[in-house]
Amino acid sequence: MTYLSNDPATFAEDALAGFCELHADTVRRVPGGAVRRSRPSRPKVAVLPGGGSGHYPAFYGVIGPGLADGAVSGNLFTSPSAQDAVSVARAAHSGAGVVFSYGNYAGDVMNFGLATERLRAQGIRAENVVVTDDIASAERPAERRGIAGDFTVFKVMGAAAEEGMDLDEVVRVGRKANDATRTIGAAFAGCTFPGADAPLFTVPDGHMGLGLGIHGEPGLRDVPRTAARELAADFVRRVLAEKPAGAGDRIAVLLNGLGSVKHEELFVLWADVSRLLRESGHTLVLPEVGELVTSLDMAGVSLTVTWLDDELERLWTAPAWTPAFRRGAIAADSGEEAVAEVTDDAPRFAEASAESRQVAGAVLDGLRAVRKALREAESELGAIDAVAGDGDHGRGMVRGIDAAVTAAEAAWHQGAGAGDVLAAAGDEWAARAGGTSGVLWGAGLRAAGEVIGDGVIDAVAAVDAFAERVMSLGGAEPGDKTLVDALVPFRERLASGTWAQAAAAAEDAARVTADLVPRKGRARPLAERSVGTPDPGAVSLALIARAVSEYLREGTR
Amino acid sequence: MTYLSNDPATFAEDALAGFCELHADTVRRVPGGAVRRSRPSRPKVAVLPGGGSGHYPAFYGVIGPGLADGAVSGNLFTSPSAQDAVSVARAAHSGAGVVFSYGNYAGDVMNFGLATERLRAQGIRAENVVVTDDIASAERPAERRGIAGDFTVFKVMGAAAEEGMDLDEVVRVGRKANDATRTIGAAFAGCTFPGADAPLFTVPDGHMGLGLGIHGEPGLRDVPRTAARELAADFVRRVLAEKPAGAGDRIAVLLNGLGSVKHEELFVLWADVSRLLRESGHTLVLPEVGELVTSLDMAGVSLTVTWLDDELERLWTAPAWTPAFRRGAIAADSGEEAVAEVTDDAPRFAEASAESRQVAGAVLDGLRAVRKALREAESELGAIDAVAGDGDHGRGMVRGIDAAVTAAEAAWHQGAGAGDVLAAAGDEWAARAGGTSGVLWGAGLRAAGEVIGDGVIDAVAAVDAFAERVMSLGGAEPGDKTLVDALVPFRERLASGTWAQAAAAAEDAARVTADLVPRKGRARPLAERSVGTPDPGAVSLALIARAVSEYLREGTR
């Protein structure tokens, strides 16, 4: 359970605010996360871990000398938006580039990827180091999720940046640390969101979910719970079986508690884990036992091993001084106080032609029509989503379109043309809606806006750009039970027909998704439960297509 | 729930072993707890917090420069024995005396008090600082329990000892810190012991136990759970209402999570707590938000305020470097490596007279007769205790008498006289039995042994000494539903009658305890539940009286 909250909707934000208040001497809050209060006295690479909230001390608990320069912080278990990442990066950047680091989750990969593009367009060097340590999540290392191994990778990069390595070098050692890091976890009970009265996921009584992810993602299997000693043996065996080729015998080790498994239990487990690792011929270098990457009040534990070469060992053992992790003696940062004013990412618009201004007005009106339709459909979309999901799809879509219309209005009043109005709407949609669908709609609208530019609307080209962006970012294919199932027939029909015909095609296709089983799902039983119900994302797309179609008919009447 | 364990019976010990393994570079395990690995280069006062296990980082997590010199660690939620405390004190003592510090619980007060007496008899200066910060536990400050305020008091004393203050000064600042410290807590859900399948105590659904103790002791009352903001206001109002006379406006603050209330929640609460404290005109000095005194996986939170004068502020802000708490820069201890050999507290016996040796043999046989009787009654005593307690009374008594007989045999083989045999038996009983009754039986037998000395047994004098010790240590009075209810009539009848008559009086009195309601109880509903069942401690006393009576009859036949 989560017991202390004011408003579940603002829980993550409220927690970040409280944290920044507590550590106001060293940490400064910025839109999208937090950064060190003092700027470095000379340019250094900014190491920026990030991801959804609810994993303290990941990610903002490790901001400080020897570790992170800032952290990008999304809503609970929800990727931060690209705009969040850009905002934090701009505040933390001191001239030597930035590197985002995060676990390998679709939303994070998308958003940090988009932020990286945008920063580069603004002349800021940006790179990404994706953590893939969870051996239970996939056979192929590149497809694995990032869990507690995040910490080792961040620590190594933080020390490298503090040493003065340049961006390429920091990225190199970060990737080397990730390649040398393996984690296996087990969960005993799920966590419960603020305001929710049931856990996000459950583990059968007396069992443990071996390899279950930190958001309840599928693991290896549920097995009966064992004594600590047997779990230790199983963990050590599984991790050592994944020892990287050519690795030596010196290792960094993390025994990590997820939330409700307490220190006393971790110490009991540690007695056997440490013995077995030593008996396997390894030397343990400054092992850590505690809560380093949590999952609210989830009951779970994980073992992480990083095989060290001389360079990694130097970086792993280097001092660090952060709110949640302190090692060795480190000189206080002698840099100047950071500027109080928040650097932001507010769009500046090119001068628009009269014709484009006229079209921009139509785009704005079209967005308002979509807003009306989504508001009316909010509870229906929620109900569809609740069958197999968390029921917040309607809420998320309304949050997205509300923010998009507000941004489009602001852009319109600042004189923006059609493309800029649509792109601004997309950025705010992505920033405010939350969830993967928010990212996709936001990025898709921005892509459509960029195609339109300072011109008139070529609907087919704009929809093509939207579809390309959504499909390449989301990675879904037709038949996966996503909005792509409605998007593809919509786009095809539009290429040779009217908006009304295309909207009808989308509606038909959305209905047919009721027959499908989703290929990606957070919790295993949910995938099957959804059969018989259409995909909420596909339904939303059809609904928006219909709203635009009716607006165009009425608007051109 | 506690998920990771090998053997519930050795959980606390296993956790301590794992902890000492992890921190083997700085911490050394000794019987009864742990001490710093390196001894100070010049004599310094040894600051020794202690108490039951299950409260990590209290108590062994704060061993290190600037804080504790060692920690005395009992079983889960169970006071360590006097022997544990003596063992840790002897290992930590560097010539300038030791100070035990602990929360105000009957078992701790007894055991550390006994240890203090014993250390003084061995020529080691020893003092006690009792923490009484929990404003919800009693009206009168001296009767209050110690909870998270432990941390502030330990921190201040640790810094004082590190500065080189002498024993009286360290005690003075420790008591000053305690007098300036106030805590209020609330609990949402109880913790579950290893091996148990139900929580030790519960809070009604949707409610919180305001002022509930960290072992489930009665608090103020159960109230409906509120938003974090209202809880913050309530906490701040209650703590400020207890502001000590003459206190200033600079305060140390701890917002402490008990186990399952996570950092994000604490930060949400902190935003309001910090604002309200500031609005009340206070300046917050290095506040701490986190898990400092926990209670396994209990869901709860507490707010502690310590009003600082210049001296307390200097000590509170001084650096410290321990496994669980690190502040500022502190020089590594330059002392020598501690001796590997463990100093122990093994008794050495005075030469006994032939007559006393003969009586000693009788004492040993009497203890064996009691052992036989207790072993036979173990499950019955357990069943009586299970009605309103944790059902381990029979187990504890058998553990105690088994250890007592073993120690008495060893003493007998080393040539001890009657008094020393009984005293040695008492020491081991207290060390091994666990629980309050273990302490009382142990201390009572030692007192009886001291009266006997190298002489013959004056049964009345020995029982008087036993009774005085038990009653002064335990603080119970007739009618409280404890072993005292059987002890008083037993003692009175023995003064003017036979052992058989006295044993019968004890049996009658033990039966009558079924009509009583206990005055002290860990969890509120249990007190009432026990009506109709006799007190297991009183039953044990009657049973032992009967066993001794029968041994004497047969032995003198």
Side-chain angles (χ1 to χ4, degrees):
Chain A
M1 281 289 285
T2 294
Y3 298 94
L4 293 174
S5 163
N6 288 313
D7 176 356
T10 60
F11 179 84
E13 225 170 290
D14 294 350
L16 176 61
F19 170 84
C20 290
E21 199 291 329
L22 180 66
H23 296 287
D25 53 334
T26 61
V27 166
R28 186 166 63 90
R29 194 177 171 195
V30 296
V35 298
R36 291 192 207 171
R37 178 159 292 283
S38 58
R39 295 181 71 83
S41 40
R42 57 190 174 79
K44 76 177 274 292
V45 174
V47 175
L48 303 174
S53 291
H55 304 298
Y56 190 87
F59 300 95
Y60 46 75
V62 295
I63 298 176
L67 240 153
D69 296 84
V72 189
S73 189
N75 208 337
L76 284 177
F77 291 8
T78 304
S79 171
S81 70
Q83 190 168 323
D84 291 336
V86 169
S87 159
V88 172
R90 290 177 61 95
H93 183 239
S94 61
V98 306
V99 52
F100 296 120
S101 189
Y102 46 89
N104 186 26
Y105 298 92
D108 290 322
V109 172
M110 274 194 275
N111 282 304
F112 287 109
L114 288 171
T116 302
E117 286 177 19
R118 221 175 293 169
L119 287 166
R120 288 175 181 163
Q122 295 170 11
I124 293 178
R125 290 191 65 201
E127 294 290 345
N128 289 249
V129 172
V130 182
V131 183
T132 59
D133 57 315
D134 182 2
I135 61 175
S137 56
E139 277 297 312
R140 293 186 44 215
E143 290 171 5
R144 290 173 173 172
R145 299 184 292 249
I147 49 176
D150 280 358
F151 182 79
T152 331
V153 176
F154 301 161
K155 170 72 183 73
V156 162
M157 285 198 290
E162 211 71 49
E163 272 190 1
M165 284 192 187
D166 69 16
L167 184 60
D168 293 341
E169 286 285 283
V170 171
V171 169
R172 178 184 61 75
V173 296
R175 292 194 177 137
K176 182 162 76 168
N178 180 59
D179 290 345
T181 298
R182 304 287 185 270
T183 299
I184 179 74
F188 310 109
C191 52
T192 304
F193 269 21
D197 47 15
L200 192 63
F201 58 94
T202 57
V203 177
D205 263 2
H207 283 65
M208 55 186 176
L210 194 62
L212 197 75
I214 58 173
H215 314 100
E217 300 93 340
L220 298 173
R221 62 181 172 279
D222 291 336
V223 296
R225 224 160 58 216
T226 63
R229 184 158 297 139
E230 284 145 50
L231 185 64
D234 191 49
F235 270 10
V236 169
R237 186 178 56 73
R238 287 176 189 275
V239 167
L240 294 188
E242 294 267 348
K243 181 171 182 167
D249 55 11
R250 297 181 67 80
I251 51 176
V253 188
L254 304 181
L255 190 64
N256 177 58
L258 273 292
S260 290
V261 167
K262 300 315 304 171
H263 281 89
E264 285 87 351
E265 296 177 83
L266 297 175
F267 295 142
V268 168
L269 190 64
W270 177 251
D272 286 303
V273 165
S274 58
R275 180 179 51 76
L276 292 167
L277 287 172
R278 288 207 174 86
E279 285 174 7
S280 71
H282 288 92
T283 300
L284 282 53
V285 180
L286 296 189
E288 289 289 333
V289 176
E291 296 179 346
L292 291 156
V293 178
T294 65
S295 206
L296 293 174
D297 62 325
M298 173 172 167
V301 60
S302 64
L303 171 65
T304 300
V305 170
T306 301
W307 278 267
L308 302 170
D309 62 12
D310 289 348
E311 182 179 54
L312 289 179
E313 181 162 339
R314 184 186 78 237
L315 298 169
W316 168 247
T317 57
W321 191 268
T322 75
F325 178 82
R326 293 170 183 185
R327 169 176 289 172
I330 191 158
D333 197 314
S334 58
E336 69 210 89
E337 175 90 346
V339 283
E341 194 193 353
V342 172
T343 55
D344 70 6
D345 190 31
R348 298 284 171 271
F349 305 111
E351 203 176 329
S353 66
E355 192 180 25
S356 184
R357 285 287 292 163
Q358 196 177 356
V359 178
V363 167
L364 179 56
D365 283 343
L367 286 168
R368 287 175 177 146
V370 170
R371 178 173 66 180
K372 181 163 178 289
L374 284 173
R375 283 180 176 174
E376 286 167 6
E378 177 179 346
S379 58
E380 184 200 335
L381 291 170
I384 295 173
D385 185 37
V387 172
D390 48 10
D392 72 349
H393 180 75
R395 190 81 274 277
M397 291 298 287
V398 168
R399 254 197 328 258
I401 189 68
D402 280 353
V405 170
T406 304
E409 285 167 346
W412 162 256
H413 287 302
Q414 288 171 52
D420 281 341
V421 165
L422 201 55
D427 288 351
E428 276 299 296
W429 187 315
R432 302 291 163 213
T436 304
S437 69
V439 181
L440 294 176
W441 274 98
L445 291 183
R446 164 164 276 278
E450 287 170 358
V451 162
I452 294 167
D454 185 23
V456 294
I457 289 190
D458 174 348
V460 173
V463 168
D464 276 354
F466 177 93
E468 292 300 333
R469 194 61 162 148
V470 164
M471 291 170 70
S472 69
L473 259 184
E477 290 176 21
D480 286 353
K481 192 160 186 162
T482 69
L483 87 170
V484 168
D485 289 314
L487 178 57
V488 169
F490 170 76
R491 173 189 182 182
E492 284 172 3
R493 196 74 191 82
L494 188 67
S496 62
T498 66
W499 268 87
Q501 288 167 334
E507 284 163 350
D508 289 344
R511 264 191 296 278
V512 173
T513 59
D515 302 333
L516 301 174
V517 186
R519 299 216 191 129
K520 296 176 174 182
R522 178 159 282 185
R524 284 151 293 177
L526 296 184
E528 280 123 51
R529 204 195 294 167
S530 79
V531 175
T533 306
D535 177 64
V539 173
S540 286
L541 186 123
L543 196 145
I544 290 170
R546 172 65 59 195
V548 173
S549 156
E550 288 179 358
Y551 164 72
L552 291 174
R553 189 161 50 86
E554 289 169 13
T556 55
R557 190 172 48 194
Chain B
M1 281 289 284
T2 295
Y3 298 95
L4 294 173
S5 164
N6 288 313
D7 177 357
T10 59
F11 178 85
E13 224 171 292
D14 293 350
L16 176 61
F19 171 83
C20 290
E21 199 291 327
L22 180 66
H23 296 289
D25 52 335
T26 61
V27 167
R28 187 166 64 88
R29 195 178 172 194
V30 295
V35 298
R36 290 193 208 170
R37 177 159 293 284
S38 59
R39 295 180 70 83
S41 40
R42 57 189 174 80
K44 77 176 274 291
V45 174
V47 174
L48 303 174
S53 290
H55 304 298
Y56 189 87
F59 300 95
Y60 47 73
V62 294
I63 298 175
L67 241 152
D69 295 84
V72 188
S73 188
N75 208 337
L76 285 177
F77 291 8
T78 304
S79 171
S81 70
Q83 191 167 322
D84 291 336
V86 168
S87 158
V88 172
R90 290 176 62 94
H93 183 238
S94 61
V98 305
V99 52
F100 296 120
S101 190
Y102 46 90
N104 186 26
Y105 298 91
D108 291 322
V109 172
M110 277 194 274
N111 282 305
F112 286 109
L114 288 170
T116 302
E117 287 177 19
R118 220 174 293 170
L119 287 166
R120 288 176 181 164
Q122 295 171 10
I124 294 178
R125 291 192 64 202
E127 294 290 346
N128 288 249
V129 172
V130 182
V131 183
T132 58
D133 57 315
D134 182 0
I135 61 174
S137 56
E139 277 297 311
R140 293 187 43 216
E143 291 171 4
R144 289 174 173 171
R145 300 184 291 248
I147 49 176
D150 280 358
F151 181 79
T152 330
V153 176
F154 302 161
K155 170 73 185 69
V156 162
M157 286 198 291
E162 210 73 47
E163 272 190 1
M165 283 191 189
D166 70 17
L167 184 59
D168 292 341
E169 286 284 282
V170 172
V171 169
R172 179 184 61 76
V173 297
R175 293 196 177 135
K176 181 162 77 167
N178 181 59
D179 291 344
T181 298
R182 304 286 185 273
T183 299
I184 178 76
F188 310 110
C191 53
T192 304
F193 269 22
D197 48 15
L200 192 63
F201 58 93
T202 57
V203 177
D205 263 2
H207 283 65
M208 56 186 177
L210 195 62
L212 198 75
I214 57 174
H215 316 98
E217 300 94 340
L220 298 175
R221 61 180 172 282
D222 291 336
V223 296
R225 221 158 63 216
T226 63
R229 183 157 296 139
E230 284 145 49
L231 185 64
D234 192 49
F235 271 11
V236 169
R237 186 179 55 74
R238 287 177 189 275
V239 167
L240 294 188
E242 293 267 348
K243 180 170 181 165
D249 56 9
R250 297 179 68 80
I251 52 177
V253 188
L254 305 180
L255 190 66
N256 177 58
L258 273 292
S260 289
V261 167
K262 301 314 304 171
H263 281 88
E264 287 85 350
E265 296 175 85
L266 297 175
F267 295 142
V268 168
L269 190 63
W270 177 252
D272 286 303
V273 164
S274 58
R275 181 179 51 76
L276 292 168
L277 287 172
R278 288 207 174 87
E279 285 174 7
S280 71
H282 288 92
T283 300
L284 282 55
V285 180
L286 297 189
E288 289 289 331
V289 177
E291 295 179 347
L292 292 157
V293 177
T294 65
S295 206
L296 294 173
D297 62 326
M298 173 172 166
V301 60
S302 65
L303 171 65
T304 301
V305 170
T306 302
W307 277 268
L308 303 170
D309 62 11
D310 289 349
E311 183 180 51
L312 289 178
E313 180 162 339
R314 183 186 79 236
L315 298 168
W316 167 248
T317 57
W321 191 269
T322 75
F325 178 81
R326 294 169 182 185
R327 170 178 288 172
I330 192 158
D333 197 316
S334 58
E336 70 209 270
E337 175 92 351
V339 286
E341 194 192 351
V342 172
T343 53
D344 71 5
D345 187 30
R348 298 286 170 271
F349 304 111
E351 202 177 328
S353 66
E355 190 180 27
S356 185
R357 285 288 291 162
Q358 196 178 354
V359 179
V363 166
L364 180 55
D365 283 343
L367 286 168
R368 286 175 178 146
V370 170
R371 178 173 65 181
K372 181 163 177 288
L374 283 173
R375 282 180 177 173
E376 284 166 8
E378 176 179 346
S379 60
E380 185 200 336
L381 290 171
I384 294 173
D385 185 38
V387 172
D390 48 11
D392 71 349
H393 181 74
R395 191 81 273 278
M397 291 298 288
V398 169
R399 256 202 320 261
I401 189 68
D402 281 353
V405 170
T406 304
E409 286 167 345
W412 163 257
H413 288 301
Q414 288 171 53
D420 281 341
V421 165
L422 201 55
D427 288 351
E428 275 300 295
W429 187 316
R432 303 289 162 215
T436 304
S437 69
V439 181
L440 294 175
W441 276 97
L445 293 182
R446 164 165 275 279
E450 286 170 0
V451 162
I452 294 166
D454 185 23
V456 296
I457 288 189
D458 173 350
V460 173
V463 167
D464 276 353
F466 178 91
E468 292 300 332
R469 193 63 163 146
V470 164
M471 289 169 71
S472 69
L473 260 182
E477 291 175 20
D480 286 354
K481 194 163 187 161
T482 70
L483 87 169
V484 168
D485 289 314
L487 178 57
V488 169
F490 170 76
R491 174 191 183 183
E492 283 173 4
R493 197 75 191 84
L494 187 67
S496 61
T498 66
W499 268 88
Q501 287 167 333
E507 285 163 349
D508 289 345
R511 263 192 296 278
V512 173
T513 59
D515 302 333
L516 300 174
V517 185
R519 299 217 192 127
K520 296 175 172 181
R522 182 159 280 183
R524 282 152 294 174
L526 297 183
E528 278 124 52
R529 206 195 294 168
S530 79
V531 176
T533 307
D535 177 64
V539 172
S540 286
L541 185 124
L543 196 144
I544 291 170
R546 172 65 60 196
V548 173
S549 158
E550 288 178 359
Y551 164 71
L552 291 175
R553 189 160 52 84
E554 289 169 15
T556 56
R557 193 171 43 193

